[in-house]
Amino acid sequence: MGNIRDYLNEILSAVYGKDVRQAIHDGIFQCYEDGKALSEMQLATEEDIDRILDGTYSDLPDDKEEGITDEEIREIVDTAFSRGE
């Protein structure tokens, strides 16, 4: 993800019209890319949470081996949501 301040500084410091247009383009494009990446991460996270809650997430440790119950998993997810993680 790009730093928006860098793009804003480029816009402010550009002297020629073509440089201003390019800086505006680059800044808007980076905002779009950042938003798209965050949206994809959110979707993947929501899918993982759904799979955790319905018990189909294969990356979780085996309940019998690790001693983790479904309730403990739900508590971990709820805690992460309440913290905004």
Side-chain angles (χ1 to χ4, degrees):
M1 290 186 203
N3 185 342
I4 193 66
R5 289 179 191 196
D6 294 339
Y7 293 107
L8 292 173
N9 287 334
E10 284 182 37
I11 294 167
L12 288 174
S13 65
V15 176
Y16 300 106
K18 69 177 188 165
D19 296 334
V20 173
R21 288 191 305 274
Q22 186 65 50
I24 291 170
H25 168 273
D26 294 347
I28 291 171
F29 182 76
Q30 188 61 52
C31 288
Y32 168 76
E33 289 295 314
D34 291 350
K36 187 171 76 169
L38 288 173
S39 179
E40 290 169 358
M41 287 189 305
Q42 179 181 356
L43 179 60
T45 300
E46 289 172 358
E47 289 172 353
D48 287 346
I49 290 170
D50 288 342
R51 290 181 18 228
I52 287 170
L53 294 176
D54 69 14
T56 60
Y57 192 77
S58 61
D59 293 342
L60 291 174
D62 185 10
D63 293 349
K64 294 175 187 166
E65 292 178 18
E66 299 294 328
I68 298 174
T69 66
D70 289 343
E71 186 57 38
E72 289 171 321
I73 293 171
R74 285 187 184 88
E75 188 176 316
I76 291 167
V77 172
D78 289 341
T79 301
F81 267 119
S82 68
R83 290 183 188 159
E85 296 175 359

